[in-house]
Amino acid sequence: KAQNLGEALYEDPILLKSDGLPTYHLANVVDDHHMKITHVVRAAEWMSSTPKHLLLYQAFGWEPPEYAHVGLLQDSSHQKFSKRKGDLSIRRFEEQGIFPEALLNYVALYGWSHTKTNDVMSLSDLIETFDLKFTKGNTVVEPHKLVYLQKKYAAKYAYENGSQFESLVDRVLGEIQQEFKAPSWHPDLVYLNHLMDNDLRTRLTDVLRGTAKNYTNPKDFFTNYKYFFYDQPPQELHSGDVPEGTRTTLMGLWPQLRTVNATFRDVPLEAWTDDSLKEKASTLVDLISSMLKETSSKEIYKIIQMYLRCAVARGSSGPPMHTTMAILGRDTCLRRLDELADLLDSDTRGINE
């Protein structure tokens, strides 16, 4: 309602509804007072309601909290985020496998700025660093920042090798076991049958430790690194599985690359370790460099790594090849190397014919 013209205009808001329940304005003030809230930080859209709230505090004879108003959080199309959007629910992030610490870190960074060189901050770091130096205007939320933080926390858990890393292993193990029941991405691929339950967990732990810096969620992990857990039957590896450019490069150097298989076959089981395999790869660079004197050692190293990744990791990204081979084991690696060698032999015969 408004008083007569010439006098100040003021709003006479409804505080109690006809059913006796309080409206937001009354409930908010009473609740904050009894919760002993000292500071309220809220979106700028509530600024127009602040005078009402201050008057209510005055009417009750209570000390009001300090108020600060910040810009809205917006999506990439500059629309206000809403709690009614399903992707913004905590449950949704939990289902996606987002770490609570990463989500807290992500949300806490918006609306203000800090002087640290690193955005990765624990709750105690955030408490110590937080400043009421708010960002002017609205803030566009960047989903890729959450992915970045997720990777950083996964790497941190792997390095610390504590209970949080064990929980991560458990979560991903559950995803892999579900895939074993019905591999939807390729029903013809076979589970590496020598991996029993305990061995599976050990392998998963090793792979996670080697790839943690790129970890996003359990589903993506399995999609990216399934070659550690499933195998193609030998007859399923054909020319189409090897990119044309890669196949052309490998075939051009196939006479020299034959030594790769022989060199790794000479490594006994007890010496099939990360460090030993790394040393063997260096030996191969020297050996093939002596055959191809016009090609730099750096280029030969890249070609050897291409060959190994194509054979052992089926061309997929992952840990360094010596680490990948150590995790997969001698038998699996030698068999996969032989399968690619057979394919290149077949392609070479086809060209010669």
Side-chain angles (χ1 to χ4, degrees):
K1 298 177 182 179
Q3 291 179 318
N4 295 329
L5 291 176
E7 297 183 14
L9 296 177
Y10 68 91
E11 185 182 357
D12 186 11
I14 296 173
L15 300 180
L16 284 174
K17 293 183 283 188
S18 58
D19 59 5
L21 291 176
T23 61
Y24 171 77
H25 297 298
L26 177 59
N28 161 65
V29 167
V30 173
D31 186 54
D32 281 0
H33 171 73
H34 287 289
M35 291 286 288
K36 295 181 171 55
I37 300 299
T38 59
H39 293 74
V40 174
V41 180
R42 57 189 183 185
E45 60 185 349
W46 287 103
M47 192 177 294
S48 61
S49 297
T50 304
K52 303 184 188 71
H53 299 164
L54 290 173
L55 287 171
L56 283 169
Y57 276 102
Q58 182 180 335
F60 283 118
W62 297 337
E63 183 72 22
E66 296 287 338
Y67 283 98
H69 295 85
V70 297
L72 299 175
L73 294 181
Q74 297 181 323
D75 59 24
S76 57
S77 61
H78 295 277
Q79 298 297 310
K80 185 183 78 169
F81 270 159
S82 169
K83 63 184 179 182
R84 295 173 180 81
K85 291 187 177 181
D87 283 351
L88 294 179
S89 69
I90 297 297
R91 185 176 299 278
R92 177 67 172 167
F93 286 115
E94 182 182 20
E95 290 170 352
Q96 292 174 347
I98 301 298
F99 304 132
E101 294 83 0
L103 183 59
L104 171 64
N105 195 161
Y106 174 66
V107 172
L109 290 174
Y110 283 109
W112 63 291
S113 59
H114 62 82
T115 57
K116 287 183 174 291
T117 58
N118 190 352
D119 278 342
V120 181
M121 287 185 269
S122 66
L123 179 57
S124 58
D125 291 333
L126 288 165
I127 292 171
E128 181 182 345
T129 307
F130 180 71
D131 193 322
L132 293 176
K133 183 181 178 182
F134 296 122
T135 305
K136 292 183 179 180
N138 297 328
T139 301
V140 175
V141 174
E142 301 170 329
H144 68 269
K145 176 60 74 66
L146 179 56
V147 175
Y148 164 81
L149 291 170
Q150 181 82 345
K151 292 178 180 180
K152 290 295 184 181
Y153 276 93
K156 176 176 178 287
Y157 297 158
Y159 176 77
E160 293 172 346
N161 198 30
S163 60
Q164 289 169 315
F165 184 61
E166 289 299 313
S167 296
L168 174 57
V169 172
D170 289 338
R171 181 75 181 261
V172 180
L173 181 61
E175 177 68 26
I176 292 177
Q177 289 172 332
Q178 283 297 113
E179 286 288 345
F180 283 168
K181 294 178 182 176
S184 56
W185 47 274
H186 197 319
D188 295 329
L189 298 193
V190 293
Y191 167 42
L192 288 174
N193 55 20
H194 65 280
L195 285 177
M196 296 297 101
D197 287 343
N198 289 337
D199 293 330
L200 174 59
R201 185 181 179 84
T202 300
R203 171 163 298 187
L204 170 59
T205 300
D206 290 340
V207 177
L208 267 172
R209 189 171 285 119
T211 61
K213 65 180 181 179
N214 293 315
Y215 177 86
T216 53
N217 59 65
K219 287 188 178 297
D220 286 351
F221 172 86
F222 184 76
T223 299
N224 294 334
Y225 306 115
K226 57 181 177 285
Y227 60 87
F228 281 105
F229 309 102
Y230 275 91
D231 227 357
Q232 288 174 306
Q235 66 272 20
E236 295 249 343
L237 185 66
H238 52 75
S239 297
D241 293 322
V242 183
E244 184 175 350
T246 300
R247 195 166 70 252
T248 300
T249 299
L250 297 180
M251 287 178 62
L253 295 174
W254 183 223
Q256 292 77 26
L257 287 173
R258 288 178 185 277
T259 58
V260 174
N261 290 32
T263 299
F264 283 110
R265 192 170 294 281
D266 286 343
V267 179
L269 181 60
E270 61 274 14
W272 196 270
T273 63
D274 199 318
D275 291 340
S276 175
L277 294 172
K278 184 177 182 179
E279 184 179 340
K280 279 294 178 185
S282 297
T283 301
L284 276 167
V285 172
D286 296 336
L287 178 61
I288 296 179
S289 291
S290 66
M291 305 177 194
L292 301 170
K293 298 187 182 300
E294 295 183 0
T295 306
S296 69
S297 296
K298 184 177 180 180
E299 188 63 25
I300 288 173
Y301 173 81
K302 287 170 60 178
I303 293 170
I304 291 173
Q305 294 300 307
M306 179 192 299
Y307 176 75
L308 292 174
R309 188 160 296 282
C310 187
V312 176
R314 303 310 196 198
S316 299
S317 61
M321 283 314 304
H322 50 87
T323 302
T324 295
M325 293 174 71
I327 293 172
L328 278 168
R330 184 176 187 275
D331 290 347
T332 298
C333 290
L334 293 180
R335 176 169 49 76
R336 290 182 180 181
L337 284 167
D338 287 344
E339 288 169 9
L340 181 57
D342 291 343
L343 174 63
L344 293 173
D345 277 336
S346 176
D347 285 353
T348 303
R349 286 194 299 270
I351 291 174
N352 294 334
E353 293 172 359

